[in-house]
């Protein structure tokens, strides 16, 4: 085997800054789901809408000196259950964002919602506030599965919620899960069929995974066998593909023209501001890349003089892993030039790992592009592990990819 010249990842040099997005975290839910390991908390009545929105605006203002002159390509309001906030509160927030930053024409503005917390009038209010994309946490159209997941909505409410969303928005996503407690392959197929029948332009389908610090981790439910879950994944992918949905990311499927721009910016290692309790962000500069994170507990977040819990420069040696952690979730992979454009490092910094992954049948590459093979897609953790090297978890807000990974 010929010797490969590997350039050390010693200094970041970015010629052009990447696209910039805004992530807003609203941490309250009606009830904490037993599988959820995100920063979400059961609400106390009444919700502190005014105080929290004021704190979000203060967060944004504190970040402005770092992003002068840059435009936002998208805004994503996640949680928790952001639809618990009133349309008036969302309007106040988005008006404040527009007053302080320039949004690209047609910028994507997403709000996460649960079917049990919305009705048609609230959707119209969110639309009037400037939201143009809704993401609904349906998870299943089977009442038994919803009960097993600890969801507060019924299958009937899920159907009504989807139809109400479609009445106000052209761009709607449904979150769907498989590998649920005692779920069969036929049940997973039925969920996929019903999701397709809704006619939404975007679907996220991911396997239930048991994460630490959750009720399911302490009291594991009876889950389907690994091979059954693999069959469920294949069945869902085949059904969505046959219906004309493009499988563009590990767990994301879209009709042409409806890929989630905000999430694509994550996967392509773009920048994002993070505001709200527990939110994380990433910012690039000409010679370094930083990450920031906010105080996690809502009560502490609201009481703090400064909400910044941590800010650090990502060591150059860790950037190849951080880039691959995101970009290799894309089914079509990434153009080779994107690595240097987004990390500021020469491709040689990852060349040895790329060749090793290719030798193991996990990657395919040519002079223009790198993409995961079918094996690499199915064994994504094995693929990503090749790029860890000497890097350590720096609390960046992302974890080794699995079907349910979400950046917040």
């Amino acid at each position: 085997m010929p010797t490969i010249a590997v350039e050390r990842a010693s200094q970041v040099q970015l010629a052009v800054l990447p696209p910039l997005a805004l992530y807003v975290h609203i941490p309250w839910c009606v009830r904490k789901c037993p599988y959820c390991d995100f920063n979400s908390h059961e609400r106390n009545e009444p919700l502190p809408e005014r105080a929290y929105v004021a704190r979000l605006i203060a967060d944004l203002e504190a970040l402005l000196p770092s992003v002068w002159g840059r435009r936002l390509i998208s805004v994503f309001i996640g949680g928790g259950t952001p639809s618990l906030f009133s349309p008036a509160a969302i309007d106040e927030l988005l008006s404040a964002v527009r007053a302080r930053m320039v949004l690209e024409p047609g910028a994507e503005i997403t709000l996460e919602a649960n079917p049990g917390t919305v009705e048609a009038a609230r959707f119209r209010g969110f639309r009037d506030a400037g939201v143009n994309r809704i993401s609904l946490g349906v998870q299943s159209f089977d009442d038994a599965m919803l009960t097993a997941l600890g969801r507060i909505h019924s299958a009937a409410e899920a159907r009504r919620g989807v139809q109400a969303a479609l009445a106000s928005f052209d761009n709607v996503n449904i979150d769907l899960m498989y590998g649920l407690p005692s779920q069969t392959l036929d049940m997973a197929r039925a969920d996929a069929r019903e999701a397709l029948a809704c006619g939404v332009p975007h679907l996220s389908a991911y396997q239930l995974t048991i994460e630490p610090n959750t009720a399911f981790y302490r009291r594991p439910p009876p889950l389907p066998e690994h091979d059954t879950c693999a069959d469920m994944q294949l069945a869902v992918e085949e059904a969505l593909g046959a219906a004309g949905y493009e499988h563009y990311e590990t767990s994301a499927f879209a009709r042409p023209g409806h890929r989630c721009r905000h999430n694509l910016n994550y996967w392509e290692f773009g920048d994002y501001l993070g505001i709200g309790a527990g939110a994380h962000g990433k910012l690039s500069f000409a010679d370094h890349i930083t990450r920031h994170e906010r105080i996690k507990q809502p009560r502490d977040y609201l009481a703090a003089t400064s909400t910044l819990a941590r800010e650090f420069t990502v060591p150059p040696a860790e950037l190849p892993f951080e880039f691959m952690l995101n970009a290799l979730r894309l089914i079509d992979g990434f153009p080779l030039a994107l690595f240097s454009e987004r990390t500021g490092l020469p491709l040689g910094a990852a060349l040895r790992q790329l060749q090793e992954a290719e030798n193991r049948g996990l990657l395919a590459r040519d002079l223009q592009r790198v993409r995961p093979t079918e094996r690499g897609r199915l064994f994504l953790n094995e693929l990503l592990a090749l790029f860890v090297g000497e890097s350590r978890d720096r609390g960046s807000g992302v974890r080794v990819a699995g079907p349910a990974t979400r950046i917040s």
Side-chain angles (χ1 to χ4, degrees):
M1 183 178 295
T3 301
I4 299 173
V6 178
E7 300 178 63
R8 293 183 60 82
S10 58
Q11 186 175 355
V12 172
Q13 294 181 331
L14 286 168
V16 179
L17 298 182
L20 178 67
L22 171 65
Y23 177 77
V24 182
H25 194 73
I26 296 178
W28 290 282
C29 290
V30 174
R31 184 170 65 202
K32 179 82 170 180
C33 295
Y35 60 86
C36 179
D37 71 332
F38 299 130
N39 184 35
S40 60
H41 305 264
E42 293 190 11
R43 67 179 176 185
N44 296 316
E45 295 289 358
L47 288 173
E49 282 190 349
R50 296 299 299 275
Y52 195 78
V53 169
R55 180 60 72 179
L56 291 172
I57 296 169
D59 276 355
L60 181 61
E61 289 180 341
L63 287 164
L64 291 179
S66 300
V67 293
W68 286 128
R70 299 180 67 179
R71 294 186 171 200
L72 292 174
I73 64 164
S74 63
V75 178
F76 195 104
I77 307 171
T81 306
S83 55
L84 290 175
F85 270 36
S86 67
I90 300 302
D91 181 64
E92 181 182 358
L93 168 65
L94 292 177
S95 295
V97 172
R98 294 188 200 94
R100 289 159 178 80
M101 295 195 71
V102 176
L103 274 68
E104 292 281 0
E108 179 186 88
I109 303 177
T110 300
L111 177 82
E112 288 188 330
N114 282 339
T117 63
V118 292
E119 68 256 354
R122 289 178 72 86
F123 277 136
R124 288 193 293 271
F126 294 138
R127 181 196 61 198
D128 293 342
V131 174
N132 55 30
R133 182 177 185 270
I134 287 288
S135 181
L136 279 174
V138 169
Q139 315 310 357
S140 176
F141 291 95
D142 185 311
D143 281 322
M145 294 296 95
L146 292 170
T147 298
L149 289 173
R151 304 295 288 174
I152 65 168
H153 66 270
S154 66
E157 286 176 316
R159 297 182 190 102
R160 288 196 297 268
V162 173
Q163 294 311 308
L166 287 169
S168 292
F169 295 94
D170 296 326
N171 203 353
V172 177
N173 169 68
I174 288 178
D175 280 346
L176 198 66
M177 297 174 71
Y178 57 87
L180 307 181
S182 301
Q183 188 180 38
T184 66
L185 178 58
D186 284 343
M187 292 165 71
R189 286 190 175 120
D191 263 347
R193 285 195 300 270
E194 185 144 10
L196 286 171
C198 292
V200 296
H202 193 285
L203 281 159
S204 299
Y206 51 95
Q207 182 183 334
L208 171 65
T209 56
I210 306 300
E211 303 289 350
N213 301 315
T214 65
F216 273 0
Y217 185 80
R218 296 186 293 272
R219 296 179 298 278
L223 297 181
E225 296 293 332
H226 174 78
D227 287 348
T228 302
C229 290
D231 290 341
M232 291 178 183
Q233 177 181 350
L234 182 61
V236 169
E237 291 177 0
E238 287 179 346
L240 270 59
Y245 288 78
E246 301 167 339
H247 188 188
Y248 69 97
E249 184 270 334
T250 299
S251 56
F253 304 79
R255 293 197 182 280
H258 285 87
R259 297 185 179 193
C260 179
R261 281 178 275 165
H262 185 88
N263 285 342
L264 275 174
N265 189 52
Y266 288 147
W267 312 138
E268 294 172 351
F269 211 49
D271 282 355
Y272 51 100
L273 305 172
I275 63 175
H280 294 254
K282 166 187 172 285
L283 286 176
S284 300
F285 301 87
D287 59 355
H288 66 286
I289 295 173
T290 67
R291 289 196 177 274
H292 55 270
E293 53 193 78
R294 303 282 160 193
I295 294 171
K296 187 173 182 179
Q297 292 296 325
R299 184 179 304 169
D300 298 336
Y301 172 84
L302 284 167
T305 303
S306 170
T307 66
L308 189 64
R310 190 176 182 220
E311 185 175 28
F312 62 91
T313 296
V314 182
E318 296 183 8
L319 288 172
F321 170 68
E322 292 216 2
F323 176 88
M324 298 298 175
L325 176 66
N326 292 282
L328 290 178
R329 292 181 62 91
L330 294 169
I331 302 303
D332 292 333
F334 60 92
L336 281 171
L338 190 69
F339 177 83
S340 294
E341 289 175 9
R342 297 294 162 86
T343 66
L345 302 174
L347 182 62
L351 198 57
R352 178 181 58 80
Q353 296 96 324
L354 287 171
Q355 181 161 318
E356 176 65 19
E358 188 175 19
N359 292 342
R360 295 191 189 185
L362 300 170
L363 279 185
R365 61 190 175 112
D366 53 32
L367 295 178
Q368 301 295 324
R369 198 168 193 87
V370 173
R371 60 177 57 84
T373 61
E374 182 67 17
R375 172 180 167 80
R377 200 166 65 79
L378 294 174
F379 296 95
L380 189 55
N381 285 352
E382 178 185 341
L383 171 56
L384 292 171
L386 296 176
F387 295 91
V388 175
E390 298 178 357
S391 68
R392 297 292 184 267
D393 178 13
R394 302 284 299 210
S396 62
V398 293
R399 58 179 180 263
V400 174
T405 298
R406 182 177 74 181
I407 295 181
S408 59

